[in-house]
Amino acid sequence: MKAMLFLLGAALSVGSLSAQSGSMNQMLNDYLVVKEALVKGDVKQAPAGAGQLVATITSVDFATLSEADKKAFSEVSAKLLKQAQVIAGAKEVEKQRAGLAALSQQLWPLVKGSDAIGRTVFYDYCPMKQSYWLSAEAAIRNPFYGSQMLGCGKVDEKINE
């Protein structure tokens, strides 16, 4: 009987952790869709990905976040939402890229400080644009210049490696 209660408690705990990490990881995933679209210069996919990010940001369930994530998210959520909306509404790639630069600055402290992000994330820097972006891989794939200067930049920080 004790073993069954222990297993039930463990299962509930894992489910809670999954819910807790879900919002933070989904925001990161949505962001990465936008970033990859801009690497490719895809002016249609970037706003679509940003629209999904808007939906994710507006549907975050605070009850599933850790106390630290609640505090961090509430400090940047309005700015994240505004930048995601800028990208979602922009038709020109340069406006989308400018929105990504601002979005990246807001998202990095949230991702960096979250215990819910369980994978390696890189914070890359473009010296030509003097802007940052987040990436799931160490290889530089610059979203600000796309194929023109794909390898321009460097890894500035990383988490969970």
Side-chain angles (χ1 to χ4, degrees), residues 18-86:
S18 294
Q20 179 180 344
S21 66
S23 295
M24 301 301 281
N25 280 296
Q26 189 59 52
M27 274 189 281
L28 179 58
N29 290 340
D30 294 344
Y31 168 91
L32 291 172
V33 167
V34 174
K35 189 266 304 182
E36 280 303 312
L38 292 174
V39 165
K40 296 173 188 169
D42 189 335
V43 296
K44 291 184 180 177
Q45 182 60 40
Q52 181 56 50
L53 180 57
V54 166
T56 300
I57 292 167
T58 58
S59 68
V60 168
D61 181 2
F62 270 76
T64 65
L65 299 178
S66 69
E67 288 304 313
D69 285 350
K70 281 180 193 175
K71 183 179 186 303
F73 181 71
S74 56
E75 289 174 3
V76 299
S77 61
K79 292 175 184 174
L80 286 174
L81 184 59
K82 179 182 176 190
Q83 293 308 321
Q85 289 170 330
V86 164

Side-chain angles (χ1 to χ4, degrees), residues 3 6 26 33 46 51 60 82 91 99 102 123 126 129 132-133 160:
F6 174 77
Q26 189 59 52
V33 167
V60 168
K82 179 182 176 190
K91 303 289 185 222
Y123 194 49
C126 173
K129 192 74 164 171
Y132 292 88
W133 75 92
N160 298 328

Side-chain angles (χ1 to χ4, degrees), residues 62-130:
F62 270 76
T64 65
L65 299 178
S66 69
E67 288 304 313
D69 285 350
K70 281 180 193 175
K71 183 179 186 303
F73 181 71
S74 56
E75 289 174 3
V76 299
S77 61
K79 292 175 184 174
L80 286 174
L81 184 59
K82 179 182 176 190
Q83 293 308 321
Q85 289 170 330
V86 164
I87 299 167
K91 303 289 185 222
E92 301 85 24
V93 72
E94 288 311 314
K95 287 184 181 178
Q96 294 167 356
R97 288 176 169 155
L100 183 76
L103 181 65
S104 300
Q105 272 190 304
Q106 298 302 318
L107 187 60
W108 177 244
L110 185 62
V111 168
K112 183 178 175 181
S114 177
D115 55 356
I117 305 295
R119 64 181 179 187
T120 303
V121 181
F122 299 88
Y123 194 49
D124 300 335
Y125 179 71
C126 173
M128 299 294 290
K129 192 74 164 171
Q130 297 181 339

